[in-house]
Amino acid sequence: MSTSRRILFVASEAVPFCKTGGLADVMGSLPKVLWQMGHDVRVVIPRYQKIDQGRFRFLPLMPEMNVLYGGVTFHGSVLRCSYPGTEMPVYLIDQPEFFGREELYGASNKDYLDNNRRFAFFNMATLWLLKGLDWQPDIIHCNDWQTGLVPALLAAHPIVSEDPFYQDIKSVFSIHNLAYQGNFDKFTIPEIGLPWEVFTEKGLEFYGKASFLKSGLMFSDKLIAVSPTYAEEIQVDGQGAGMEGSLRLRSEDLHGILNGIDTSVWSPSEDANLHASYSRGSIAGKAKCKADLQKNLGLPVKKDVPLIGMISRLIEAKGFDLVVDALDELEELDAQFVILGSGDTEIESKLFNAARRNPEKFAVHIGYDDPLSHRIIGGADMFLMPSFYEPCGLTQMYAMRYGTIPIVRRTGGLSDSVFQADKLSIESGKGTGYLFESYTKEEMLKSIYEALTCYQDSKSWKQLQQNAMDKDFSWIKSAKEYSRLYEELLLEDEV
Ligand code: ADP
């Protein structure tokens, strides 16, 4: 291994503590793998009310932490535990007024109005924590807008940038989703105590707002997008949520690294959520998982009727406008659908109506349900992900690992992880799923029909399943790329 480095991951969610999406999955695995590779890795997250106290052994680390910025002292504290199954330290920043709430970012489909104050505190408190610990990381690795202020604080906040303790610390910013930007009133700047000089086009100003995301994009030393294709796409006008120009400016420092998956959580041979276990060499258990899923969701238990699964936030960006638009055609198919998710109420009710009209074909489960998500990945034959854009996407990789064939739009990480199946590519061991290009219902349906046709040919289908299960999506390869990138950054500075 290369030199062991001190790396602090800062994130607003991490499995197994709290999760709303793929970011939490990544934070639950990448730091652990880097730690296992020999780096001194630590993770810091807010201590939300949602985090199950009883499950993790938190110990008080700093019972009182007074964080001063913008002329105000904020009182907080820090707890500590080890990442389950390892000795890797996890720090939880506690501030009941900010984090002692029902949800992470907002309730009833509305963001909390003081998210700027909540996450500014989290970012600043993270830096205070380091001083309190007297632990100087080589790199602070920030993730998405909730941690985007850290690079600006390091570069320009008088309390931080003028303190020698922080001067050698480098920052890396990961883009998990550019659509969520944390754009706030510009008077957030003096509130935090940042100088107005940061509020420029080349700084964190974004159409008159103070953008926490843009702060991460402009002030960090390196940028990482969660797949190579997404790293390219977001620099193209119209595909970078307004940040294209800024990203092109940082093009040399922007790298795309495909996320991996945590194979200790997602493996059909060890998954306790499944009705039966199975593996690439012995796939019989998958049929039992399918029958169990059909039975439990009230669908007719039919072995030969293909079952198509979806697990997602129910929003247009995930392709649900196409799905809703195609409901008439989907209801005609000799196939069953199981959909798990929550989000847009209009999409929810249209899917519900389909299930009411056609209970034999549609099972719709509104909500967030981790065990059920495993049972769908295991029990379904196919997995539909017609996303308009997809930075990386994890569920298609989970699906392939479970021999569940993805049908996806060719965008972002979906195009980096799924290889188009056809007669030749299936036989040669390459094809792993079905992809469509244009974002239209017709193209999506065409891919679904192709998959259903292949399903009828059991020999080809089995081979396709084997190909998908053969793919290695574990973190090791990507973690090595991260490690190389850290090294490059630190050596640049030492030269
Ligand atoms: P995103 O982060 O954009 O939501 P990803 O595919 O990267 O999309 O990650 C989503 C993660 O959240 C996956 O682990 C997926 O299984 C999980 N997930 C999404 N919706 C639900 C749900 N309703 N119930 C359980 N897990 C869900």
Side-chain angles (χ1 to χ4, degrees):
M1 214 239 357
S2 51
T3 327
S4 166
R5 298 295 190 177
R6 292 182 298 275
I7 303 153
L8 178 77
F9 277 87
V10 197
S12 57
E13 48 185 275
V15 163
F17 304 100
C18 46
K19 166 171 168 178
T20 70
L23 166 65
D25 289 310
V26 176
M27 288 304 109
S29 38
L30 172 62
K32 190 175 64 180
V33 177
L34 288 165
W35 183 83
Q36 283 159 347
M37 282 165 71
H39 293 291
D40 178 0
V41 183
R42 308 183 186 192
V43 178
V44 56
I45 55 172
R47 188 229 188 154
Y48 303 106
Q49 184 178 298
K50 273 214 154 159
I51 299 180
D52 185 349
Q53 282 266 73
R55 202 173 143 205
F56 309 102
R57 282 200 203 143
F58 301 149
L59 296 172
L61 179 72
M62 292 181 200
E64 224 176 286
M65 184 169 65
N66 299 317
V67 187
L68 168 76
Y69 56 93
V72 180
T73 301
F74 294 82
H75 303 285
S77 60
V78 185
L79 300 159
R80 191 213 127 116
C81 70
S82 295
Y83 188 88
T86 73
E87 296 288 311
M88 182 174 77
V90 177
Y91 305 116
L92 298 107
I93 306 267
D94 197 9
Q95 217 292 348
E97 199 190 313
F98 287 148
F99 303 121
R101 302 185 187 179
E102 206 181 319
E103 294 299 332
L104 274 57
Y105 311 124
S108 315
N109 279 333
K110 284 210 174 77
D111 288 343
Y112 292 129
L113 291 174
D114 58 349
N115 273 346
N116 53 344
R117 296 200 179 97
R118 299 174 73 224
F119 288 100
F121 171 78
F122 175 56
N123 286 216
M124 199 60 169
T126 295
L127 295 175
W128 282 63
L129 159 71
L130 296 178
K131 208 156 174 205
L133 287 171
D134 195 23
W135 185 71
Q136 264 167 320
D138 295 305
I139 287 173
I140 302 186
H141 192 141
C142 309
N143 295 275
D144 276 355
W145 75 262
Q146 295 88 343
T147 61
L149 275 186
V150 169
L153 297 174
L154 287 170
H157 196 289
I159 294 178
V160 182
S161 62
E162 288 164 21
D163 184 334
F165 179 85
Y166 298 103
Q167 260 162 25
D168 293 331
I169 302 177
K170 299 281 169 201
S171 61
V172 171
F173 184 76
S174 270
I175 307 164
H176 297 262
N177 195 335
L178 269 188
Y180 301 92
Q181 307 189 329
N183 299 330
F184 302 104
D185 189 286
K186 66 178 179 185
F187 291 105
T188 304
I189 303 283
E191 242 184 68
I192 305 167
L194 275 166
W196 280 112
E197 286 84 83
V198 299
F199 194 68
T200 62
E201 204 188 328
K202 290 205 171 149
L204 56 78
E205 187 269 341
F206 188 65
Y207 295 100
K209 299 272 187 188
S211 171
F212 285 22
L213 173 76
K214 199 168 166 219
S215 165
L217 300 183
M218 300 312 282
F219 290 101
S220 59
D221 296 297
K222 288 247 184 255
L223 294 172
I224 296 175
V226 289
S227 71
T229 299
Y230 191 57
E232 294 298 320
E233 286 172 347
I234 54 181
Q235 298 182 59
V236 176
D237 283 336
Q239 294 185 54
M243 298 289 175
E244 300 87 346
S246 308
L247 288 160
R248 284 198 295 266
L249 276 178
R250 303 267 356 242
S251 188
E252 279 198 6
D253 295 316
L254 169 60
H255 303 262
I257 303 180
L258 190 71
N259 284 334
I261 63 172
D262 189 337
T263 48
S264 69
V265 178
W266 293 95
S267 277
S269 55
E270 289 158 39
D271 191 333
N273 297 293
L274 298 187
H275 183 65
S277 60
Y278 63 95
S279 64
R280 185 178 180 277
S282 160
I283 204 172
K286 187 162 174 63
K288 292 187 191 151
C289 294
K290 176 174 175 178
D292 175 66
L293 186 64
Q294 289 171 318
K295 189 169 133 229
N296 280 303
L297 293 175
L299 293 167
V301 179
K302 290 186 179 169
K303 186 165 146 272
D304 297 325
V305 172
L307 178 56
I308 303 178
M310 294 185 84
I311 303 161
S312 177
R313 293 182 287 128
L314 300 180
I315 54 169
E316 286 196 356
K318 293 285 184 185
F320 278 93
D321 48 341
L322 297 191
V323 173
V324 162
D325 207 23
L327 279 172
D328 286 345
E329 287 89 342
L330 298 178
E331 286 175 47
E332 288 298 309
L333 295 174
D334 186 19
Q336 297 175 338
F337 288 84
V338 43
I339 303 174
L340 165 65
S342 65
D344 187 310
T345 44
E346 208 173 308
I347 294 172
E348 288 179 3
S349 74
K350 286 187 173 153
L351 295 174
F352 249 141
N353 287 341
R356 208 168 296 135
R357 281 194 303 271
N358 248 313
E360 307 253 302
K361 286 190 178 170
F362 279 82
V364 175
H365 192 101
I366 302 296
Y368 190 91
D369 188 332
D370 193 51
L372 179 57
S373 75
H374 284 250
R375 284 174 23 232
I376 294 174
I377 296 276
D381 297 297
M382 298 162 203
F383 193 80
L384 179 60
M385 238 174 136
S387 309
F388 179 62
Y389 71 91
E390 193 62 70
C392 177
L394 295 168
T395 28
Q396 81 281 8
M397 296 195 254
Y398 300 150
M400 284 184 267
R401 187 160 170 83
Y402 283 63
T404 304
I405 301 306
I407 304 167
V408 304
R409 176 151 180 268
R410 192 185 292 281
T411 179
L414 297 174
S415 50
D416 291 331
S417 56
V418 182
F419 196 93
Q420 178 63 40
D422 52 39
K423 198 169 176 315
L424 270 181
S425 71
I426 293 175
E427 278 170 12
S428 69
K430 270 186 147 182
T432 55
Y434 292 87
L435 296 111
F436 62 97
E437 301 275 343
S438 324
Y439 190 70
T440 62
K441 117 178 156 177
E442 289 74 22
E443 286 273 300
M444 177 186 77
L445 286 168
K446 218 169 103 200
S447 271
I448 296 176
Y449 300 149
E450 271 180 73
L452 293 176
T453 307
C454 181
Y455 182 81
Q456 300 308 325
D457 172 357
S458 65
K459 188 164 164 265
S460 294
W461 189 256
K462 278 204 181 98
Q463 181 61 50
L464 182 55
Q465 285 183 311
Q466 297 283 308
N467 295 352
M469 294 181 88
D470 222 13
K471 291 284 273 183
D472 179 7
F473 292 115
S474 63
W475 264 106
I476 297 294
K477 186 167 158 274
S478 305
K480 282 187 185 152
E481 283 187 57
Y482 277 89
S483 206
R484 256 197 306 276
L485 202 81
Y486 295 147
E487 211 47 37
E488 197 183 294
L489 172 61
L490 295 169
L491 290 177
E492 261 169 32
D493 208 48
E494 282 165 20
V495 174

